[in-house]
Amino acid sequence: MIIDASAPESIEQAAQSLLKGALIGLPTETVYGLASDAMNDEATLKIFSLKGRPVDHPLIAHVVDKGALQHFASDVPLFARYLIEAFWPGPLTLILKKIPGVAQACTAGAGTIALRCPLHPVAQLLLKRCSELGVWGLAAPSANRFGRVSPTTARHVLDEFGGSLLILDGGACEVGIESTIVDCTRGAPVVLRPGILTLEQISIAAKQPAFTRADWSGKPATTQAGTPKASGTLDSHYAPNALLRLLSNEEIINALASFKDKDVKLAIWAKAHPTLEGLAQNFLFELMPNTPEECARALFAQLRAFDTLGITEIWVEKPPQSSEWAGITDRLQRAAHIAG
Ligand code: TXA
Ligand code: MG
């Protein structure tokens, strides 16, 4: 059931449901989450079964402000505090050392915890009310079935889980791709999942160089042993039903010249290009926005819209290689990856 989050009683209704151990659909500025009380293991385990997510893939705990760190994290390094000052509330998740024993289901039993303070006003209101009721954090992965495209509207969440779930409608998500995840347990900031914040922004705010996952794993002194699985980092994830191919503008035009397969319902998502628009008879052409912010906001809704139209192949123009596009490129590469 979708309820309007701006109605006066809706925040209270959602908070009471969470307190009783139910799950709710929660708007955040990145994507919609499927939320439970992070300290309630029985409730949190329902998230794994509803999503079809393996129980060894830990979830993010969402908190109202940095004051809530004391309930979940210990030994917070100085650079993590700088990141919190710079980006909370906002689309940044930090992996921190966990207080032993807390939020066991949420953290998949790991010694670390992912914490994020969302900016969305509805998430903020709900988290505030929850903390008044003694619920210090909400475990919330993206509200989609495991491996599928993340939801950016309340309607998408309804399409994933049906009408029995209480879903707070807070409008379409402003950011549109999931938060940047920074591991703060390795002595330096390591970006495990790129998002809308760039590596440069993270380095500047942390007052020390941040590393990509690839750069860090190339360092000889580190070991990957014991690192929990991060589902957003699996090769195949965020996948639409249609086959997705990432191509340069030139490759799209060349491939179209020899494209004859009548069984394929083709859609192209690319920047404005006179040749492409001129050719758009045998396929659906949708314009890809010019800035990374607009593109991120549109991405998942566009992939879902193509699926709804019964498109069987999507050709997407490769984004530029600069770091502002890293989060979008990452999601597109995983959506394009054919499992196995
Ligand atoms: O923007 C977002 O982050 C959204 C909204 C709802 O806040 N949430 C989200 O959650 O994307 P989810 O579960 O789809 O992705 C969380 C990622 C997963 O890749 C998970 O494995 C990783 O965070 N993660 C959680 N705890 C971790 C930990 N202790 N160490 C490493 N990775 C962790
Ligand atoms: Mg997800």
Side-chain angles (χ1 to χ4, degrees):
M1 184 201 0
I2 294 181
I3 59 170
D4 179 359
S6 63
E9 64 291 347
S10 56
I11 298 292
E12 187 62 27
Q13 190 184 348
Q16 293 299 334
S17 299
L18 288 161
L19 197 62
K20 283 190 217 126
L23 306 184
I24 66 144
L26 171 71
T28 84
E29 72 281 16
T30 56
V31 300
Y32 273 71
L34 180 65
S36 72
D37 171 357
M39 296 290 197
N40 181 338
D41 285 347
E42 201 188 321
T44 303
L45 284 172
K46 288 191 235 165
I47 295 180
F48 291 90
S49 53
L50 197 58
K51 270 185 71 94
R53 177 172 172 132
V55 286
D56 59 350
H57 288 253
L59 313 175
I60 297 173
H62 296 67
V63 292
V64 67
D65 57 27
K66 66 179 178 197
L69 283 173
Q70 58 172 320
H71 300 291
F72 297 100
S74 68
D75 307 316
V76 180
L78 189 60
F79 72 82
R81 296 205 180 267
Y82 291 146
L83 289 173
I84 287 171
E85 288 309 323
F87 299 118
W88 276 15
L92 175 71
T93 296
L94 300 180
I95 309 293
L96 295 165
K97 202 170 154 204
K98 192 182 84 166
I99 295 171
V102 301
Q104 285 294 80
C106 174
T107 58
T112 55
I113 184 160
L115 287 168
R116 165 160 129 75
C117 171
L119 178 64
H120 196 291
V122 173
Q124 274 287 325
L125 280 175
L126 181 65
L127 284 164
K128 189 159 183 292
R129 180 65 189 132
C130 282
S131 63
E132 287 165 5
L133 295 167
V135 173
W136 308 121
L138 297 180
S142 50
N144 53 279
R145 290 179 193 277
F146 189 64
R148 309 298 308 170
V149 175
S150 298
T152 56
T153 66
R155 176 72 217 198
H156 293 162
V157 183
L158 186 82
D159 292 345
E160 291 283 328
F161 299 117
S164 57
L165 181 71
L166 182 74
I167 304 163
L168 280 176
D169 189 350
C173 301
E174 275 284 307
V175 175
I177 58 172
E178 301 83 349
S179 58
T180 304
I181 302 181
V182 178
D183 189 346
C184 300
T185 66
R186 307 184 194 200
V190 181
V191 175
L192 299 185
R193 180 176 71 184
I196 207 71
L197 303 174
T198 64
L199 198 64
E200 292 77 14
Q201 285 176 293
I202 304 283
S203 298
I204 291 167
K207 302 185 187 182
Q208 67 180 80
F211 297 86
T212 62
R213 196 185 179 89
D215 286 349
W216 185 260
S217 54
K219 282 174 143 321
T222 61
T223 164
Q224 292 296 314
T227 305
K229 291 197 179 68
S231 41
T233 62
L234 297 178
D235 285 345
S236 174
H237 214 69
Y238 313 110
N241 293 328
L243 179 79
L244 191 145
R245 296 172 67 191
L246 256 185
L247 303 165
S248 69
N249 214 303
E250 217 182 319
E251 285 169 327
I252 292 179
I253 290 166
N254 289 340
L256 275 177
S258 56
F259 176 75
K260 289 199 184 59
D261 193 339
K262 291 228 169 357
D263 296 331
V264 171
K265 251 185 115 179
L266 178 65
I268 294 182
W269 198 44
K271 301 270 174 60
H273 194 290
T275 319
L276 271 182
E277 280 156 274
L279 284 171
Q281 288 120 24
N282 304 327
F283 58 90
L284 177 67
F285 179 76
E286 287 291 344
L287 206 55
M288 184 185 233
N290 279 321
T291 66
E293 290 77 17
E294 289 168 309
C295 201
R297 199 173 299 139
L299 172 65
F300 289 140
Q302 186 62 71
L303 296 182
R304 279 176 184 266
F306 286 145
D307 273 348
T308 307
L309 291 169
I311 296 293
T312 58
E313 251 184 62
I314 311 167
W315 298 357
V316 179
E317 181 177 336
K318 267 186 208 153
Q321 286 197 321
S322 58
S323 71
E324 307 97 286
W325 290 89
I328 295 155
T329 302
D330 170 81
R331 302 310 186 275
L332 285 169
Q333 280 171 344
R334 292 179 209 291
H337 188 90
I338 300 161

